[in-house]
Amino acid sequence: MSNQGVIPEDKAELRRVLADRLGVSVSEVTDDVNLQDLGLDSIGVMGIVSGWQRGGLQGEIAEFAAMPTLKAWWELISR
């Protein structure tokens, strides 16, 4: 992932990052779809979030794992 460590600046960018990581179309990553249903596993969550943590994100991996939706992730990132 070429943007590893770069925290998305808006929800559209987060949607693109997740779609790319999951190998699905951007339209499949809706606000409330469970990212696990699209193929995101715990290793994927750790990889994505730990990269963002290196980029300055204050959130914890467990928070993201507990709420695997675009909407919830954006709320965690933008707080």
Side-chain angles (χ1 to χ4, degrees):
M1 181 185 228
S2 60
N3 60 352
Q4 190 170 12
V6 177
I7 302 166
E9 294 185 15
D10 57 38
K11 193 192 285 185
E13 183 180 353
L14 175 58
R15 186 182 318 270
R16 287 189 300 273
V17 166
L18 291 170
D20 182 56
R21 176 70 183 239
L22 297 170
V24 299
S25 70
V26 172
S27 64
E28 291 181 74
V29 185
T30 60
D31 277 358
D32 296 314
V33 70
N34 186 318
L35 298 171
Q36 294 171 338
D37 292 343
L38 297 179
L40 185 66
D41 59 13
S42 59
I43 301 299
V45 174
M46 287 189 302
I48 294 168
V49 178
S50 65
W52 293 339
Q53 288 171 327
R54 286 189 296 278
L57 182 73
Q58 298 299 310
E60 297 296 323
I61 292 169
E63 294 176 289
F64 287 84
M67 300 184 300
T69 66
L70 174 72
K71 181 179 178 182
W73 280 32
W74 180 245
E75 289 173 6
L76 290 170
I77 290 171
S78 61
R79 64 179 175 186

